[in-house]
């Protein structure tokens, strides 16, 4: 893995909003803003009210947050459960961590919500990435915060 990343140095932890410590919440919000607002130059309000209702998967390399995913229950954003804010720090991309993150999100959703149905709002350039995980594109692309997106559905 990149930067001499060792599997034994990685920790994967699910947390409810209530179990996120104040400093962890700050770290998560900063991480998401660095990627989705600054890096992608998309000026939008990340704090959308779904965090308190969701489960959060944090991936750390030793002490550093390098990956994140938010799992939102059915009926909160879509009828189905939703996976969002899937993100890997730029220095760790291309090593399969995103695939592991997404797979863990799907498995956790099945376990917690008892269903293999997930709806996402995917950035259009990532359609093939999500398709390799079983998602199917629905409808036409649309603008979300200045970036073309498309709704995708996984129904296992």
């Amino acid at each position: 893995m990149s930067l001499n990343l060792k599997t034994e140095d990685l920790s994967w932890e699910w947390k409810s909003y209530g179990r996120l410590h104040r400093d962890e919440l700050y770290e998560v919000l900063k991480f998401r803003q660095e990627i989705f607002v600054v890096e992608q130059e998309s000026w939008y309000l990340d704090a959308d009210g779904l965090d308190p209702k969701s489960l959060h998967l944090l991936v750390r390399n030793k002490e550093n947050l390098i990956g994140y995913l938010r799992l939102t229950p059915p009926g909160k954003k879509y009828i189905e459960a939703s996976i969002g804010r899937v993100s890997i720090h730029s220095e760790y991309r291309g090593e399969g961590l995103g695939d592991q993150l997404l797979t863990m999100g799907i498995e956790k959703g099945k376990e917690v919500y008892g269903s293999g149905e997930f709806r996402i709002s995917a950035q259009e350039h990532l359609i093939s990435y999500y398709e390799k995980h079983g998602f199917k594109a629905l409808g036409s692309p649309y603008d979300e915060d200045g970036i073309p997106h498309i709704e995708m559905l996984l129904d296992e």
Side-chain angles (χ1 to χ4, degrees):
M1 294 186 164
S2 65
L3 304 173
N4 297 317
L5 186 63
K6 298 176 185 152
T7 305
E8 60 268 16
D9 290 337
L10 296 178
S11 64
W12 303 74
E13 185 175 16
W14 282 102
K15 290 198 168 193
S16 66
Y17 182 79
R19 284 195 52 233
L20 286 170
H21 301 288
R22 180 181 57 219
D23 292 342
E24 284 178 314
L25 178 59
Y26 178 85
E27 182 182 28
V28 164
L29 293 173
K30 181 178 182 286
F31 184 78
R32 291 183 347 198
Q33 289 173 11
E34 286 172 346
I35 293 171
F36 296 113
V37 177
V38 177
E39 179 183 323
Q40 296 182 356
E41 297 180 359
S42 177
W43 318 120
Y44 77 105
L45 182 61
D46 178 54
D48 59 2
L50 294 173
D51 289 321
K53 301 168 177 78
S54 301
L55 294 174
H56 307 268
L57 178 55
L58 287 70
V59 184
R60 295 183 185 283
N61 178 23
K62 298 180 183 172
E63 297 299 316
N64 301 313
L65 184 64
I66 64 167
Y68 174 82
L69 173 146
R70 180 174 76 181
L71 179 62
T72 303
K76 299 300 179 187
K77 182 172 182 173
Y78 301 113
I79 293 170
E80 305 85 0
S82 180
I83 293 172
R85 304 297 200 266
V86 180
S87 46
I88 298 292
H89 188 284
S90 60
E91 294 179 7
Y92 298 92
R93 293 181 193 151
E95 302 295 332
L97 290 174
D99 292 330
Q100 292 177 53
L101 192 71
L102 189 56
T103 298
M104 289 180 74
I106 293 166
E107 292 305 313
K108 184 70 164 183
K110 288 178 185 176
E111 173 192 326
V112 174
Y113 306 127
S115 172
E117 288 186 319
F118 299 88
R119 186 174 301 260
I120 62 173
S121 178
Q123 292 183 7
E124 188 178 28
H125 73 278
L126 294 172
I127 291 173
S128 63
Y129 171 78
Y130 287 108
E131 284 177 337
K132 79 177 186 178
H133 289 277
F135 285 87
K136 293 181 177 32
L138 304 173
S140 300
Y142 53 90
D143 180 275
E144 185 175 309
D145 304 313
I147 297 174
H149 280 69
I150 191 158
E151 260 187 41
M152 299 188 80
L153 183 68
L154 174 66
D155 186 4
E156 293 188 338

